[in-house]
Amino acid sequence: MQAVLEFTKEQIDEVDGLIDRYGAHPSGLIPLLEKVQELLGYLPLSIQEYISEKTHISPNRIYGVVTFYSFFTMEARARHRVQLCLGTACYVKGADAMVEKIENDYQINFGESTEDGRFTFEKARCVGACGLAPVVIIDGEVFGKVTVDSLDGILEQFA
């Protein structure tokens, strides 16, 4: 099957185990997709089709879930996920300057990864930490009151 050639046999065996664990019932689809994404790093169409074949859940339903929830991704991510909050408070307190710095220093735009596979740069909607604005989230760790000058030191912590 061409759909799974991009993954190793061991990875597919683990996906099969997750399918067995979460079953083919639609109520288990989101946990199944979460676990598969944890395992593979992303959910490309090929693995969605594979899951559809194994669970008999329509590929359109799986695609709909993957594209509806922002925590699912169909693109391979770098080792570290850098999210910059662009809510009103963060924007007013300088998030736009940090966007420009990351774009210039790392040669990436939102949704892209650095060539060395170190960072994927994403925008975040308001994360509800307006008192800490501007906020940067790296691999789920929140950094508040970030400045353009402090940003390099924060990013250096993530090799």
Side-chain angles (χ1 to χ4, degrees), residues 27-159:
S27 66
L29 181 58
I30 290 175
L32 171 62
L33 293 173
E34 287 177 321
K35 294 297 181 185
V36 172
Q37 183 169 281
E38 281 178 27
L39 174 69
L40 304 176
Y42 66 118
L43 298 167
L45 280 176
S46 61
I47 204 69
Q48 293 176 43
E49 291 167 355
Y50 183 80
I51 291 169
S52 174
E53 277 184 34
K54 293 287 187 171
T55 62
H56 304 289
I57 297 172
S58 84
N60 289 342
R61 183 179 176 97
I62 294 171
Y63 180 81
V65 169
V66 169
T67 56
F68 180 80
Y69 293 103
S70 63
F71 54 85
F72 289 127
T73 181
M74 293 175 52
E75 302 291 327
R77 289 185 176 149
R79 293 188 306 278
H80 303 289
R81 182 178 180 197
V82 178
Q83 297 175 287
L84 182 62
C85 180
L86 293 181
T88 302
C90 289
Y91 192 82
V92 168
K93 294 210 170 188
D96 58 331
M98 285 186 280
V99 170
E100 188 176 321
K101 178 172 180 51
I102 291 173
E103 287 178 346
N104 289 333
D105 290 0
Y106 294 91
Q107 301 296 306
I108 53 174
N109 295 309
F110 283 124
E112 296 178 347
S113 298
T114 55
E115 284 187 24
D116 63 1
R118 185 175 171 202
F119 296 119
T120 295
F121 185 36
E122 299 176 344
K123 59 180 133 182
R125 297 183 183 120
C126 182
V127 296
C130 300
L132 298 174
V135 170
V136 173
I137 304 162
I138 304 175
D139 298 339
E141 186 176 350
V142 177
F143 296 87
K145 299 189 184 293
V146 179
T147 64
V148 169
D149 293 333
S150 69
L151 188 57
D152 283 333
I154 293 168
L155 292 172
E156 286 173 11
Q157 298 173 40
F158 298 88

Side-chain angles (χ1 to χ4, degrees), residues 3-15:
V4 294
L5 289 178
E6 63 201 89
F7 300 107
T8 65
K9 180 182 180 326
E10 291 76 21
Q11 289 173 313
I12 295 304
D13 287 346
E14 288 188 56
V15 170

